[in-house]
Amino acid sequence: HAHLLGIEQLNPFDIITLLDLAETYVDLNRRDVKHSDALTGLTQINMFFENSTRTQASFELAGKRLGADVMNMSMQASSIKKGETLIDTAMTLNAMHPDLLVVRHPHSGAVDLLAQKVNCAVLNAGDGKHEHPTQALLDALTIRRAKGRLQRLNIAICGDIAHSRVARSNILLLGKMENRIRLIGPPTLLPSPFKDFGVEVYDDMREGLKDVDVVMMLRLQKERMDGGFIPSEREYYHRYGLDAEKLSYAKPDAIVMHPGPMNRGVEIDGEIADDINRSVIQEQVEMGVAVRMAAMDLLARNLRARRAEKGVMV
Ligand code: CP
């Protein structure tokens, strides 16, 4: 692949290849010396048009650990504020010969559009409600390490599915790997197209969590609810917040996941989030760096091969 735009474009072989490479980077990241030269000589630009802690920090660390020259564009201070369009901004940066462009944008499809205009590898770091492929890949790696496999698991994705690119990428990935997926949430946050994905849909947490292996919680994405119905946090926590009582319906060894940022006391009880016997939330963050290293390594190999074909030295 020339770009990583979504899980939709990947097949199970692509996914396993990337996760296997990411495992080697998990080992590297746990050493005192964390450097490799997979991206030496290459330039990585991170363009985040939306807030981020985990994704932005881990892409930056991933690039630095692989030897790339990494630049973080401060989009708040950029000429976007003076009316320059996304494409003009991207073409301006493209003229500086980056090799990897990491982009987060509030509009679904914006990253795909940008990838058509530039001549470097583009990685989608989250576009609107569309996809967040590296999040689904890091979730898959976390599940595979905790459960010893990535197939035939009962996985519940709970909460604000309607506004979640994380849910969409996870449904696609976990479905391709032949897992049984349940979506649990209030009907207002569970749009009907999801019913066509071959998933089961529940509006009752206890019913939906029964005997699942993995419980994936999502944040209420109020910033994407533009004027629509926003549930009260108290009521939402009562019905859909994950606490010990609701979790007791899942398998005794079920793991609890959350992509972050978390709203404690809204979608998840703080004690569950911190319970090291159940929660793998910190491990998800650790896997994020390794998965992003693997994704950029594979795209850089492809980029070098294509340039070598054209006779351009890298
Ligand atoms: N999970 C995730 O994308 O977190 P950030 O928004 O902090 O990057």
Side-chain angles (χ1 to χ4, degrees), residues 48 50-58 104 125-126 132 134-135 138-139 165-166 219 258-261 284 292:
F48 281 67
E50 233 186 39
N51 293 346
S52 171
T53 296
R54 282 145 284 269
T55 312
Q56 203 266 329
S58 59
R104 169 170 287 191
H132 192 351
T134 55
Q135 178 71 45
L138 75 87
D139 289 339
R165 56 195 176 208
V166 175
R219 181 175 64 88
H258 194 305
Q284 286 174 270
R292 287 163 182 134

Side-chain angles (χ1 to χ4, degrees), residues 56-285:
Q56 203 266 329
S58 59
F59 263 117
E60 182 176 353
L61 272 183
K64 286 181 171 165
R65 286 181 184 172
L66 296 181
D69 296 316
V70 184
M71 184 177 82
N72 290 306
M73 277 296 294
S74 168
M75 299 324 295
Q76 292 299 323
S78 75
S79 286
I80 288 272
K81 294 282 166 202
K82 299 178 194 162
E84 189 166 58
T85 66
L86 166 69
I87 297 302
D88 284 341
T89 304
M91 294 312 290
T92 300
L93 294 173
N94 190 54
M96 299 181 199
H97 298 291
D99 304 289
L100 297 148
L101 213 48
V102 178
V103 187
R104 169 170 287 191
H105 198 278
H107 294 146
S108 307
V111 184
D112 291 41
L113 182 70
L114 195 145
Q116 292 166 25
K117 307 280 181 189
V118 297
N119 40 26
C120 62
V122 175
L123 293 101
N124 182 0
D127 65 324
K129 295 188 274 185
H130 178 227
E131 283 234 35
H132 192 351
T134 55
Q135 178 71 45
L137 289 160
L138 75 87
D139 289 339
L141 185 59
T142 308
I143 294 170
R144 193 174 77 168
R145 288 169 66 94
K147 293 283 149 202
R149 67 182 198 275
L150 192 55
Q151 286 90 20
R152 301 180 316 283
L153 293 164
N154 290 317
I155 299 172
I157 305 177
C158 312
D160 182 0
I161 316 277
H163 302 98
S164 178
R165 56 195 176 208
V166 175
R168 198 164 185 287
S169 290
N170 264 304
I171 292 165
L172 290 168
L173 190 156
L174 296 167
K176 284 176 199 252
M177 301 312 293
E178 297 180 0
N179 295 284
R180 286 178 295 271
I181 303 168
R182 301 180 191 176
L183 306 183
I184 316 175
T188 47
L189 298 177
L190 277 171
S192 54
F194 278 106
K195 291 175 184 149
D196 304 330
F197 277 89
V199 298
E200 291 174 33
V201 177
Y202 296 84
D203 66 5
D204 182 87
M205 281 288 272
R206 292 169 186 82
E207 220 181 295
L209 288 179
K210 203 161 182 313
D211 295 329
V212 298
D213 300 286
V214 176
V215 184
M216 196 179 281
M217 301 308 299
L218 299 170
R219 181 175 64 88
L220 271 183
Q221 304 200 35
K222 291 182 183 171
E223 73 275 23
R224 295 193 212 289
M225 292 183 189
D226 43 48
F229 172 74
I230 300 181
S232 102
E233 291 187 353
R234 257 174 83 97
E235 174 70 6
Y236 186 82
Y237 181 69
H238 177 66
R239 294 197 58 189
Y240 297 101
L242 186 69
D243 56 17
E245 190 272 326
K246 294 192 192 84
L247 182 59
S248 71
Y249 286 79
K251 283 190 183 158
D253 62 351
I255 55 167
V256 174
M257 307 180 75
H258 194 305
M262 255 189 300
N263 288 139
R264 291 167 183 259
V266 181
E267 71 271 5
I268 190 164
D269 171 35
E271 278 188 32
I272 296 287
D274 297 334
D275 180 351
I276 55 165
N277 295 314
R278 307 305 294 268
S279 165
V280 292
I281 294 169
Q282 295 308 320
E283 181 150 345
Q284 286 174 270
V285 177

